[in-house]
Amino acid sequence: MLETIRWLPRDDNPLPGKVRMIDQTQLPERCVFLETDDLEEVYDAIKRLVVRGAPAIGIAAAFGLVASVQHLDGNRDELLAAIQASADRLAAARPTAVNLAWALERCLDAGRDHAATPGATADGLKLRLWQEADAILREDIEMCRRIGEFGVELFAKNTRVLTHCNAGALATGDFGTALSPVYAAFERGLSPHVYSNETRPLLQGSRLTAWELQRAGVGVTSICDNMAGQLMREQRIDVVIVGADRVAANGDAANKIGTYSVAVLAQYHQVPFYVAVPYSTIDMSIPDGDGIPIEQRAPEEVSCGFGQRTVPEGVGIYNPAFDVTPNELIAGIITEQGILWPPYVKSIAGLFE
Ligand code: MRU
């Protein structure tokens, strides 16, 4: 599997080290890595989508936090204040994916707990932070695999899946969320085929999903976003599976802009629409999708994407990066604990008990 995001120690000890990530802005042309221990470089990598996808940005932020404080001097209190400031900076990079704030908060909690233990040292605190970041990565790998195990139940021989954006290995520590059941079906010889929406404006579907599936040997066809309805009408899609950046307590799910349109189309054509997420993507503090913050991105992504002007200068641009699919359009939510069914208020609450 792809090592989208990893910690790279300098020697046999975990610290010091750097965070290493595939530079996804270069795909599909080149698979190159960015290695850094610089806070601003990690912030920039998350902001520019060098690393993207909800779980992956959480892992990147956690390791980025460790990397950025590992060389700091100072007593415990000074160190804790510096860790908090770095975490605040990283958390501001992108607002919608809850995994970012969740992973940073986990590291901060671990750091604070450690600092409160008698005899805690600055080096011990840094190591404790790294251990938490490493645990987040390991748990994510495990969660991806389990989502695959549960999601594969939806597959028969030659199942045709439509997905939107990239919720695969490039968006997580391992097999992905939405693509994990696809990889599991592929491993079992079920020959799944994925139709990948290109995902305007940044083309995560055609640049990333198509790239990673082709690399793994899974059948994939890239389509423009506006073709999904026609494919469903031609009965070429058996199931839709997408990831999410944040799921509210009632099951409303924010995912890449365009997901909502796919869900509406799927309902009209009676194609089941599933969302695949680990528990870290569910935000129990938000009762419904109206409370999910939606990232607004630069107009140039729409008007001048990849260096080619496609909108006349001076024309207004609206560029929300995500939309919210209401829970009534979602057939099931595939998690690492099993598939959740409506009513989601009840099944999601059960997951957290
Ligand atoms: O803007 P991006 O590329 O970070 O958006 C990513 C998505 O919308 C994914 O579908 C989502 O994060 C799920 S990742 C397992």
Side-chain angles (χ1 to χ4, degrees):
M1 219 356 100
L2 286 168
E3 296 205 331
T4 298
I5 174 108
R6 291 292 183 270
W7 179 255
L8 205 63
R10 195 164 65 192
D11 51 40
D12 290 344
N13 302 310
L15 297 176
K18 290 186 174 189
V19 53
R20 190 191 70 178
M21 51 191 105
I22 295 178
D23 181 348
Q24 300 189 31
T25 64
Q26 306 280 320
L27 289 170
E29 279 198 278
R30 280 176 295 278
C31 183
V32 292
F33 290 89
L34 170 74
E35 286 173 20
T36 179
D37 58 4
D38 180 75
L39 177 73
E40 285 309 308
E41 229 175 340
V42 178
Y43 173 88
D44 181 65
I46 296 172
K47 184 105 194 146
R48 283 196 305 114
L49 277 53
V50 167
V51 61
R52 31 69 49 208
I57 62 176
I59 299 162
F63 280 136
L65 182 65
V66 178
S68 70
V69 301
Q70 65 186 336
H71 300 301
L72 294 183
D73 293 324
N75 61 33
R76 263 181 311 170
D77 288 345
E78 287 164 345
L79 209 52
L80 274 181
I83 292 167
Q84 179 73 59
S86 293
D88 290 347
R89 176 68 178 152
L90 291 170
R94 298 193 74 188
T96 303
V98 70
N99 307 60
L100 178 60
W102 170 86
L104 289 166
E105 206 46 56
R106 251 184 82 161
C107 291
L108 285 172
D109 280 348
R112 284 188 212 106
D113 281 357
H114 183 84
T117 56
T121 62
D123 280 349
L125 174 54
K126 292 173 188 173
L127 185 64
R128 180 68 194 86
L129 274 189
W130 175 84
Q131 285 166 340
E132 197 61 25
D134 187 55
I136 290 170
L137 169 65
R138 285 175 195 286
E139 285 169 28
D140 188 68
I141 292 172
E142 184 56 29
M143 288 190 295
C144 287
R145 286 179 191 254
R146 288 174 62 90
I147 286 172
E149 297 295 317
F150 287 111
V152 76
E153 288 168 24
L154 304 172
F155 286 70
K157 186 87 180 149
N158 300 325
T159 295
R160 299 156 304 174
V161 184
L162 177 74
T163 193
H164 189 75
C165 196
N166 174 267
L170 288 166
T172 62
D174 192 44
F175 276 104
T177 54
L179 294 191
S180 188
V182 173
Y183 286 122
F186 178 72
E187 275 179 359
R188 286 163 171 73
L190 292 174
S191 309
H193 190 91
V194 176
Y195 286 91
S196 172
N197 264 358
E198 69 175 347
T199 318
R200 279 277 287 155
L202 295 181
L203 309 185
Q204 289 93 330
S206 53
R207 289 191 308 106
L208 309 179
T209 296
W211 181 81
E212 69 163 82
L213 290 172
Q214 183 191 49
R215 185 178 171 279
V218 180
V220 56
T221 302
S222 186
I223 58 167
C224 300
D225 298 336
N226 49 8
M227 298 173 184
Q230 181 62 15
L231 263 81
M232 290 184 197
R233 196 175 171 81
E234 291 171 3
Q235 300 192 341
R236 288 174 189 267
I237 306 295
D238 301 307
V239 62
V240 178
I241 311 180
V242 297
D245 288 76
R246 195 184 297 232
V247 173
N250 73 342
D252 292 351
N255 191 47
K256 177 56 53 190
I257 191 75
T259 303
Y260 171 47
S261 317
V262 174
V264 173
L265 282 172
Q267 188 180 60
Y268 182 80
H269 292 95
Q270 295 178 339
V271 175
F273 177 98
Y274 288 88
V275 175
V277 289
Y279 83 96
S280 53
T281 300
I282 302 176
D283 186 350
M284 293 300 279
S285 74
I286 293 193
D288 60 51
D290 290 346
I292 299 178
I294 301 294
E295 178 182 7
Q296 301 292 324
R297 292 192 61 90
E300 292 73 29
E301 289 180 353
V302 174
S303 62
C304 210
F306 305 96
Q308 172 75 43
R309 176 156 285 282
T310 51
V311 182
E313 250 175 275
V315 170
I317 304 285
Y318 180 51
N319 185 18
F322 298 95
D323 57 28
V324 175
T325 298
N327 62 19
E328 62 265 25
L329 298 180
I330 301 173
I333 301 179
I334 311 166
T335 74
E336 71 278 22
Q337 301 291 338
I339 303 182
L340 306 181
W341 306 104
Y344 295 113
V345 172
K346 214 168 148 201
S347 53
I348 290 178
L351 183 74
F352 282 84
E353 263 162 24

